[in-house]
Amino acid sequence: MGKLEGKVAVVTGGASGIGKASALLFAQEGAKIVIADLNEEKGQEVMEELNNSGTEALFVKTNVTSEDDVQNLFKEAAGQFGQVDVVFNNAGIGVNKPSDELTFEEWRRTVSVDLDGVFLVAREALRGFLKTGGGVMVNTASMYGHVGVAQNAPYAASKGGVVNLTRGLAVEYADRNIRINAICPGFIDTPIIPEEMKDGLKAATPVGRLGQADEIAKAVLFLASDDSSFMTGSSLIVDGGYTAQ
Ligand SMILES: NC(=O)c1ccc[n+]([C@@H]2O[C@H](COP(=O)([O-])OP(=O)(O)OC[C@H]3O[C@@H](n4cnc5c(N)ncnc54)[C@H](O)[C@@H]3O)[C@@H](O)[C@H]2O)c1
C-alpha cells in the first residue's frame, strides 16, 4: 500500500521542477493529484502524464498571489475529489540582482509569490483542513531561509519568512490534527537556476553536484506522509552539505 493511498494532494508550482517531481512521486504512492500552476501548457502536460499512468489528476490554472485564484483552486479540488488531505505549497520564483539596484517593484514581485502566495495557499488549506478534521502541509522554503546569500534579498527574506511562518502555523494548529513542515532545498537542477550559474553552484556544494528534483521529492513525501507523524514546525534541509560548511 502506498504512503499516500487514497489521499488528495494539491501541489502548487506542480508544472515544473520540484513540484512536478513531487506530484509524480505522490501519485506513485497512491494519491490523487491537483496540479496548480500559472503555466497552463506545462500544467496540462503533467496532468496528462498522470492520467496516462492511471492517476486521477486535475490541473487548475492558479496564480498563488491572487486570493480569488487560490480560493477557486481549493473549490475545484474539493468539487472534483471531495476533500484535500495534503498541500505542497511550493510555487516560487527567484531573483538575482544586487540589492542596491533592486527596484521596489522587483522586491514586491518576489515577496508576493514567495511569501504572500505561501500564506494565501496555507490559509485556504487550513480552512479546508479545519472542516474535514485535519491535514498535512509542506511549505517550500530554501536553505536560504537559514543562511545569508548575496544578490537575492527578497528571496532570502521570503524564504526566512516561510521557515518562521511554518513554525507559527504549526504551533497554532497542532491540536487540530494538522501538521505543517517546511522543506529547505539547496541548489537543485530545475529551470529556476540560470544555466550560466550552474557550474559555480556545483563548486559551492560539498557533494560537488546539483541536487535532482526527485531527491527533494523523496524528502517532501516523508514530510507529507505518516512517516513524519511526530514532526510539525520543522524545516528539513536537503542541500548536499551546503549549510554544514
Ligand atoms: N531549484 C532550486 O535550487 C531551489 C532551491 C531552494 C528552493 N527552491 C524552491 O523550490 C520551489 C520550486 O522551484 P523549482 O526549483 O522547482 O523551480 P521551477 O521554476 O521549475 O518551478 C516553479 C513553478 O512555480 C510556478 N510559479 C511561479 N510563479 C507562480 C505563481 N505566481 N503562481 C503559481 N505558480 C507559479 C512556475 O510556473 C513553475 O512551474 C520554489 O519555491 C523555489 O524557490 C528551489
Side-chain angles (χ1 to χ4, degrees):
M1 183 161 145
K3 289 179 191 284
L4 296 178
E5 205 63 53
K7 305 281 187 196
V8 176
V10 168
V11 180
T12 73
S16 175
I18 291 167
K20 177 180 174 183
S22 301
L24 296 179
L25 185 58
F26 287 4
Q28 275 175 36
E29 293 292 334
K32 297 168 191 164
I33 307 291
V34 182
I35 300 286
D37 205 289
L38 258 186
N39 190 322
E40 196 159 11
E41 197 187 327
K42 283 189 171 180
Q44 295 280 4
E45 274 172 29
V46 176
M47 182 192 76
E48 279 160 27
E49 189 175 336
L50 287 163
N51 284 333
N52 291 339
S53 64
T55 296
E56 286 182 65
L58 181 69
F59 168 70
V60 184
K61 186 174 182 196
T62 309
N63 184 342
V64 295
T65 69
S66 154
E67 284 191 84
D68 287 350
D69 276 16
V70 173
Q71 278 166 8
N72 177 60
L73 163 65
F74 281 84
K75 207 172 132 215
E76 293 275 323
Q80 177 89 10
F81 295 124
Q83 70 179 62
V84 172
D85 307 289
V86 173
V87 173
F88 184 26
N89 193 355
N90 163 76
I93 57 173
V95 65
N96 293 288
K97 203 169 174 186
S99 300
D100 58 300
E101 291 173 16
L102 268 182
T103 64
F104 187 49
E105 201 281 324
E106 287 166 330
W107 167 274
R108 284 291 324 140
R109 193 187 324 137
T110 308
V111 173
S112 129
V113 180
D114 291 353
L115 185 56
D116 298 353
V118 171
F119 166 70
L120 289 178
V121 171
R123 185 181 64 174
E124 217 49 42
L126 288 165
R127 287 172 174 167
F129 291 167
L130 290 170
K131 276 195 207 132
T132 58
V136 180
M137 191 187 317
V138 181
N139 298 326
T140 302
S142 165
M143 65 180 178
Y144 286 155
H146 289 270
V147 295
V149 54
Q151 304 199 357
N152 256 319
Y155 186 83
S158 301
K159 296 302 188 179
V162 171
V163 167
N164 218 32
L165 174 66
T166 300
R167 292 190 184 111
L169 294 178
V171 169
E172 190 173 347
Y173 293 96
D175 63 355
R176 252 74 62 87
N177 193 33
I178 296 171
R179 292 191 306 108
I180 308 169
N181 291 287
I183 183 81
C184 297
F187 303 125
I188 310 302
D189 195 358
T190 73
I192 212 173
I193 297 192
E195 207 55 47
E196 65 277 9
M197 289 178 64
K198 287 187 178 169
D199 283 346
L201 300 182
K202 277 183 208 167
T205 303
V207 298
R209 65 175 178 85
L210 301 181
Q212 295 302 311
D214 64 342
E215 293 178 289
I216 300 302
K218 288 175 196 163
V220 176
L221 173 65
F222 168 68
L223 294 175
S225 72
D226 284 345
D227 283 352
S228 60
S229 51
F230 197 55
M231 283 177 76
T232 197
S234 289
S235 358
L236 183 58
I237 299 176
V238 183
D239 68 353
Y242 184 93
T243 54
Q245 296 175 102

